[in-house]
Amino acid sequence: MIKLLTLLLCATSVLADAAKSLCGTYISEEAKVAAEAQFRANKVESSLVPGAYTPASLNIYFHIIHPDHSGSTDVSQATLKEQMRIINIGFSDPKIHWKLGGVTHTVNPNWYRMRVWSSDEVNMKAKLRQGGAADLNVYVVGRVIDGDMSRAGYSTFPWDYPGNPQFDGVLLAAWSLPGGELPYNLGHSLTHEAGHWVGLLHPFQGGCYGDGDFVADTPAEGQETYGCPTNKDTCRGGGPDPIHNYMDYSDDTCKNHFTKGQIKRLRDQIATFRGIPW
C-alpha cells in the first residue's frame, strides 16, 4: 500500500514572516505513477453517465485551534457558514454536497503555529479527527509552517487513507478563510485543498510534458498561475492555461470551476479509496 508519498502545501504571498509563494506542492513522477497504478488496479467507476451523476452528501468537521483563551483569534460561525456556502458552490457540478458535521475548539499554542509533519500534527489529528474515510476533517490553525515557509495548508490524497487513516484531512491557515487576507480571502483555498482530498492534482503537474494531472481537458501548464493573467499560455498546442480552474494558484476572484474530466476523476477516486456509494 502506498503510504503518504505526497504533501500538498499552500503558502500566502501576503504574510510578512514568510517567503513569497502561494503553494509548494510536490509529488515525484515516480510516486505519481505508483499512485496512479494503485488507482487503476482498484478502480471503482462512479457513473457511466457523465452529466447525470448521483449526488453525494459528505461531512466536514472543522477543528479550530486557538493560541490562548482570549477569543481574539476565534473563527466565527458566520465565517464557517460562508465557507460552507463557498465550497458547496465549488462542488455543485461534481454533485457533492458538503454538510457541517461539527465544530470543535481547542486551545493549544503549539498546535496554533503548526509545523507540518511534526509530532504535534500527528498528535493533534490523532486526538481530534472524527468520522471515517468519507469525512473531511479540516484543522484550522494560525500558521502552517514548513521550513521557512508559511503555508495556507495542505491535504492528504484519497490513496493515502488506507495506509494512515488518522493522518487524513486538510490543515488550513485561518487567514485563507472567507474574509481573510487578500487576494485569497474568498474561501477557495479550502475548495482547492478539498480538490486534492478527493484525488485531483494541479493542472501544472509535470509541466508541459508527460501525463500531467491525468485529466485530458485541463490544458498543460508550464508553471502555476498567480493573479489572474489573461491569455496565459505556457505550453504550445493545448490551449490557454486553465487559470480559472480551482486547482491552479490564481487569485480567489479568478477561480470558478472544475472541468468535466476532473469531475469524473474525483468521483472515481473517492468511490475507489473513500467508499462513496454513488
Side-chain angles (χ1 to χ4, degrees), residues 131-267:
D135 298 298
L136 174 56
N137 283 252
V138 179
Y139 306 88
V140 181
V141 300
R143 291 289 183 266
V144 180
I145 304 169
D146 173 43
D148 60 353
M149 303 290 286
S150 186
R151 311 287 187 177
Y154 75 88
S155 172
T156 58
F157 280 121
W159 55 81
D160 295 325
Y161 183 84
N164 195 348
Q166 281 298 106
F167 203 72
D168 185 63
V170 167
L171 193 64
L172 193 71
W175 56 261
S176 69
L177 291 167
E181 298 182 15
L182 289 169
Y184 310 109
N185 66 331
L186 299 182
H188 291 318
S189 291
L190 182 55
T191 305
H192 177 102
E193 295 302 335
H196 292 310
W197 188 82
V198 295
L200 298 181
L201 302 173
H202 296 127
F204 51 83
Q205 178 71 43
C208 296
Y209 307 101
D211 295 316
D213 63 353
F214 297 112
V215 178
D217 61 358
T218 54
E221 285 186 285
Q223 61 192 38
E224 65 272 25
T225 302
Y226 295 96
C228 193
T230 58
N231 301 318
K232 178 173 176 274
D233 189 359
T234 53
C235 298
R236 293 182 179 179
D241 289 0
I243 66 170
H244 300 295
N245 195 276
Y246 285 123
M247 300 313 295
D248 205 345
Y249 292 172
S250 314
D251 292 354
D252 272 10
T253 55
C254 192
K255 295 192 284 283
N256 59 27
H257 76 283
F258 294 112
T259 68
K260 291 181 179 178
Q262 286 176 314
I263 291 169
K264 182 63 168 70
R265 179 177 175 82
L266 73 84
R267 287 174 60 93

Side-chain angles (χ1 to χ4, degrees), residues 50-127:
Y53 287 127
T54 303
S57 184
L58 306 181
N59 291 320
I60 297 181
Y61 294 94
F62 286 99
H63 307 287
I64 315 300
I65 308 302
H66 306 276
D68 52 46
H69 291 278
S70 68
S72 60
T73 57
D74 196 11
V75 176
S76 70
Q77 291 182 354
T79 297
L80 293 183
K81 182 178 180 180
E82 177 63 7
Q83 180 64 83
M84 292 298 296
R85 187 183 75 85
I86 291 297
I87 195 171
N88 274 310
I89 289 174
F91 280 86
S92 59
D93 286 341
K95 299 291 183 68
I96 293 177
H97 176 70
W98 301 95
K99 299 184 301 181
L100 183 59
V103 181
T104 68
H105 293 267
T106 303
V107 173
N108 190 311
N110 293 329
W111 294 358
Y112 183 75
R113 294 183 60 85
M114 178 60 70
R115 188 165 295 279
V116 301
W117 296 102
S118 65
S119 58
D120 281 333
E121 183 182 1
V122 173
N123 293 336
M124 177 187 69
K125 289 181 173 180
K127 181 177 181 179

